[in-house]
Amino acid sequence: MDAIKQNSLAWDKKVESESVYTKAVSREIIEKSKAGEWEITVTTEKPVPRNWFPESLAGLKVLCLASGGGQQGPVLAAAGADVTVVDISKKQLEQDEFVANRDGLQLSTLQCSMTDLSAFSDEEFDLIVHPVSNVFVEDISKVWKEASRVLKNKGTLISGFTNPLLFIFDDEEDMKGNLVVKNKIPGSSLANLTDYEKEKYIESHNTIEFFHTLEDQIQGQIDAGLVIAGLYEDDFGGRRPLDEFIKCFVATKAVKIKL
């Protein structure tokens, strides 16, 4: 099964249904960003600390990796960065293009997988912003290696990802307030389905999600030549039962250090 193709189509559908992660930022937010009052998220609720960024973004080459949806990319472009947005979903990228056209911003978009950045040269970017998205990739070591390759020496990778604890529970029961252990880590959203259930799952335009260990998420970055320089946790803002017990998202700041 081609997970990249399935997830590309599924995210196109999410745009059509106006999922929260596909809604472009407002003109007001862009105007504030142009004036220096900007912030972005790479998880769900909590903004990335401003001290994770350089004091000025003017002229900074930024790659928004698997970051379509008209959110992070346009804000950073309005703040002065030279932004390229990469995503597997054509319609997600159209959200970034919509904001750029609406508000007179300069940014580039490219439809491709986060595991294959061959369109870019080695050490092309000063900063990579990578919101929660590697859940849609089976082998995230490819994501970290490609991000490290295209990042300049002493460049920064800001990433959001999911605490695997979220995935051990039955999703439908979780939404009812019942924490029922069901899945193994690592694993995927297809692991416990019959062939018939898998077929229906795909036909319903669901995303295929892969459950990664914290070792793969954090040590994976280190193995790719990055040094973890910051970390914080986030949650669903009280929208999920697990928020009462643990924060299910992690954000890291990593710096590329060439030895």
Side-chain angles (χ1 to χ4, degrees):
M1 185 174 297
D2 189 336
I4 292 176
K5 181 178 180 180
Q6 174 65 21
N7 287 335
S8 174
L9 294 173
W11 273 100
D12 283 351
K13 291 293 183 180
K14 286 179 182 291
V15 175
E16 293 173 2
S17 62
E18 299 184 341
S19 167
V20 63
Y21 299 115
T22 72
K23 292 184 178 180
V25 295
S26 67
R27 178 177 279 111
E28 180 184 9
I29 287 176
I30 294 300
E31 290 305 311
K32 287 183 177 180
S33 299
K34 289 179 179 179
E37 300 176 36
W38 60 270
E39 65 181 24
I40 63 168
T41 60
V42 292
T43 48
T44 46
E45 299 287 323
K46 188 175 181 178
V48 179
R50 278 294 292 267
N51 63 11
W52 281 20
F53 299 93
E55 185 173 339
S56 172
L57 298 186
L60 205 73
K61 291 205 66 175
V62 176
L63 175 64
C64 289
L65 182 60
S67 179
Q71 299 175 359
Q72 295 87 3
V75 167
L76 296 173
D82 177 1
V83 175
T84 300
V85 184
V86 160
D87 204 279
I88 57 170
S89 165
K90 182 176 183 293
K91 289 188 179 294
Q92 277 283 75
L93 292 173
E94 287 175 353
Q95 295 293 83
D96 293 273
E97 294 163 0
F98 164 75
V99 178
N101 291 331
R102 182 193 69 194
D103 299 329
L105 303 175
Q106 293 292 324
L107 60 77
S108 301
T109 60
L110 177 66
Q111 185 178 4
C112 70
S113 169
M114 69 185 94
T115 62
D116 180 7
L117 302 179
S118 56
F120 305 112
S121 303
D122 293 356
E123 301 192 1
E124 186 167 340
F125 296 97
D126 300 288
L127 171 68
I128 298 176
V129 172
H130 179 48
V132 174
S133 57
N134 65 29
V135 65
F136 304 110
V137 172
E138 185 169 12
D139 182 2
I140 59 172
S141 68
K142 295 178 180 178
V143 179
W144 303 136
K145 288 174 183 177
E146 278 290 82
S148 180
R149 180 185 66 79
V150 303
L151 195 61
K152 294 179 182 179
N153 187 37
K154 298 184 180 179
T156 297
L157 168 64
I158 298 174
S159 302
F161 49 88
T162 310
N163 185 321
L165 184 66
L166 175 65
F167 296 120
I168 71 172
F169 298 105
D170 183 289
D171 197 55
E172 291 185 6
E173 290 295 325
D174 179 22
M175 296 305 292
K176 298 175 186 176
N178 304 318
L179 299 180
V180 179
V181 174
K182 177 182 179 181
N183 301 309
K184 293 181 179 180
I185 308 297
S188 81
S189 54
L190 300 180
N192 294 317
L193 303 182
T194 66
D195 289 343
Y196 174 77
E197 288 171 334
K198 288 179 184 178
E199 184 178 342
K200 292 299 180 183
Y201 186 92
I202 298 303
E203 288 177 354
S204 298
H205 302 291
N206 290 305
T207 53
I208 300 173
E209 300 184 7
F210 299 93
F211 316 146
H212 304 296
T213 65
L214 281 177
E215 183 175 348
D216 285 343
Q217 296 283 14
I218 297 175
Q219 185 62 39
Q221 295 185 62
I222 297 169
D223 290 343
L226 303 165
V227 175
I228 304 299
L231 183 150
Y232 66 85
E233 295 177 297
D234 198 4
D235 60 22
F236 287 100
R239 297 189 302 275
R240 294 285 289 266
L242 268 175
D243 285 351
E244 182 180 348
F245 304 100
I246 192 171
K247 294 182 182 296
C248 288
F249 296 94
V250 180
T252 54
K253 173 186 178 181
V255 179
K256 180 177 177 179
I257 304 294
K258 291 181 67 175
L259 301 177

